[in-house]
Amino acid sequence: MFRHLLKKEILQIRRNTFLPKLIVVFPIVIMCVMPWVMNMEVKNVRVAVVDNDRSTPSQQLVRRIEASSSFIFTGQQPSYQAALEAIGKSRTDVVLVIPRHYGKALSQGQPSQVLIAANAVNGTKGAMGSAYLTQIVMRQLRGGDEALSVLNLYNKQLSYKRYMIPALFAILLMMMCGFLPTLNIVGEKETGTIEQINVTPVPRHTFILAKLIPYWIIALLLITLCLLLSWLLYGITCQGSLLLVYLLALLLALFFSSFGLIISNYSDTMQQAILVMWFFVVCLMLLSGLFTPARSMPAWAYATTYVNPMHYFITAIRTVFVRGGDLQSIVPQCTALALLSVATSLWAVASYRKNR
């Protein structure tokens, strides 16, 4: 009985003219586009300089700013007021004001202050732009000698793609293994084919399991395709065991496929199912630490991560993929993810009512 039900689900997916194409094209588009777009690095900060000194050291500082890859030098402004007007018109993000006698104070070893004014409408861009500019100024004040030695661990090139690609795995699994099962049962409700199953002696757990397994297979195919694209397009490979990556993918696929079936069990139309699923997907994604550090959230918001499977998956997958962690380093995340997934799958079985 189970074998025939499973065969029916696989044939139903294969006969769909759109679904197999979506399963292949969607991860390719995500992996080709999103690592370039979903980038929190602050680059191309537009900088203007007000040089009130016009000395050799002040011009050397201007040349340092021009040569920096983090800035777009928009030129020198005649006055601080003119520079503020450029910020107000969004032509400049950060302004550096060099005071008079800057070069003289620098040559005599006396303290000299410069003013950095940043457009903080975008707080991150303003803060990072000011920090980059401060580093350049301090480097000149120290005469070019670096007082600090920085060692970057695990991601030596500071590539944001290496950090975001594992998060894309989570987004793909959430979208494909969450929405597709949701629409599966609701679609059968709307067409009336679900009533044919309801009058058969098929046990609920057998029916639900046959519904879930095809999406676990899809999850494995998605992860395999994403790993290949990560290697071919960006030269980024998993630093840890691939078996752990597949284990985490299966656990997250189990949760979202079960969660999708729960929503479909309580929904009568596709519009209702999509709206409810989208609400939970957005909440789980934004509160997971996928885009921003979870510890930066308020205490009440951080408390939601204890029941958020996306948070556990992202923490574990980045530990394995970026840092090369072993099973022992992700045992807490695997345990929590497994408990949430099993509880959700049991709920999916219990919420399905054959006789109604």
Side-chain angles (χ1 to χ4, degrees):
M1 182 184 299
F2 173 75
R3 181 168 57 87
H4 290 294
L5 285 173
L6 184 59
K7 182 179 179 181
K8 169 234 176 209
E9 295 298 329
I10 296 176
L11 287 175
Q12 187 174 352
I13 293 175
R14 288 179 56 188
R15 290 174 179 174
N16 190 307
T17 57
F18 175 73
L19 200 54
K21 299 176 184 177
L22 177 66
I23 294 172
V24 175
V25 174
F26 189 62
I28 293 177
V29 173
I30 291 293
M31 291 298 296
C32 290
V33 177
M34 290 304 172
W36 299 98
V37 177
M38 297 172 61
N39 194 329
M40 296 296 180
E41 294 177 351
V42 177
K43 295 182 179 179
N44 301 325
V45 179
R46 293 166 295 182
V47 177
V49 176
V50 179
D51 187 359
N52 295 317
D53 191 38
R54 300 289 178 176
S55 63
T56 299
S58 67
Q59 287 301 304
Q60 288 177 347
L61 180 57
V62 174
R63 299 296 175 266
R64 285 176 179 264
I65 296 172
E66 286 185 89
S68 175
S69 59
S70 301
F71 298 123
I72 296 176
F73 185 65
T74 60
Q76 299 189 39
Q77 296 290 339
S79 65
Y80 178 60
Q81 186 61 37
L84 290 181
E85 291 178 1
I87 290 180
K89 295 178 180 179
S90 298
R91 294 199 297 262
T92 300
D93 299 312
V94 183
V95 173
L96 175 68
V97 181
I98 304 175
R100 291 186 175 87
H101 309 301
Y102 170 81
K104 181 179 179 180
L106 197 64
S107 62
Q108 294 177 353
Q110 297 177 356
S112 180
Q113 294 182 342
V114 298
L115 172 65
I116 297 176
N119 182 0
V121 172
N122 185 333
T124 301
K125 189 173 185 179
M128 294 303 296
S130 300
Y132 294 159
L133 202 54
T134 300
Q135 291 177 4
I136 294 177
V137 175
M138 294 303 296
R139 192 176 298 120
Q140 187 188 42
L141 293 178
R142 290 195 300 263
D145 296 330
E146 294 294 338
L148 298 176
S149 177
V150 179
L151 176 62
N152 299 313
L153 299 177
Y154 311 124
N155 187 7
K156 295 184 179 181
Q157 294 78 23
L158 300 178
S159 172
Y160 204 79
K161 295 183 183 67
R162 188 180 296 275
Y163 178 74
M164 284 306 299
I165 283 176
L168 295 179
F169 297 171
I171 294 176
L172 285 169
L173 293 173
M174 178 177 60
M175 299 297 289
M176 302 300 289
C177 298
F179 277 94
L180 295 184
T182 303
L183 301 179
N184 188 308
I185 289 184
V186 177
E188 292 193 17
K189 286 181 181 180
E190 291 187 340
T191 57
T193 57
I194 196 71
E195 299 300 330
Q196 300 176 15
I197 297 293
N198 288 339
V199 297
T200 63
V202 178
R204 288 184 301 177
H205 65 276
T206 303
F207 176 70
I208 295 298
L209 187 60
K211 286 284 185 183
L212 295 180
I213 287 180
Y215 300 102
W216 301 346
I217 298 174
I218 290 174
L220 296 178
L221 294 175
L222 288 174
I223 292 297
T224 302
L225 183 57
C226 289
L227 290 171
L228 287 174
L229 290 173
S230 174
W231 171 58
L232 292 174
L233 296 177
Y234 310 107
I236 297 175
T237 57
C238 179
Q239 301 301 305
S241 172
L242 290 178
L243 293 177
L244 294 179
V245 174
Y246 283 107
L247 172 63
L248 292 169
L250 283 175
L251 290 175
L252 191 68
L254 172 60
F255 173 83
F256 276 110
S257 57
S258 302
F259 189 70
L261 289 179
I262 291 173
I263 292 177
S264 66
N265 290 336
Y266 291 106
S267 302
D268 296 320
T269 63
M270 282 194 177
Q271 292 87 345
Q272 180 183 354
I274 291 175
L275 181 62
V276 175
M277 187 66 184
W278 183 250
F279 168 78
F280 283 105
V281 160
V282 172
C283 292
L284 292 173
M285 184 169 56
L286 295 180
L287 295 174
S288 65
L290 189 152
F291 298 107
T292 56
R295 289 290 183 181
S296 300
M297 297 188 298
W300 61 266
Y302 182 77
T304 63
T305 61
Y306 292 108
V307 292
N308 190 340
M310 284 283 284
H311 173 71
Y312 295 113
F313 177 83
I314 290 171
T315 302
I317 196 70
R318 281 174 174 163
T319 299
V320 175
F321 192 90
V322 180
R323 187 164 64 84
D326 54 9
L327 179 60
Q328 185 177 2
S329 62
I330 60 170
V331 165
Q333 289 80 18
C334 285
T335 303
L337 194 55
L339 291 175
L340 289 171
S341 300
V342 171
T344 308
S345 60
L346 293 176
W347 186 4
V349 174
S351 61
Y352 177 67
R353 295 288 182 266
K354 290 187 63 178
N355 299 320
R356 57 179 176 177

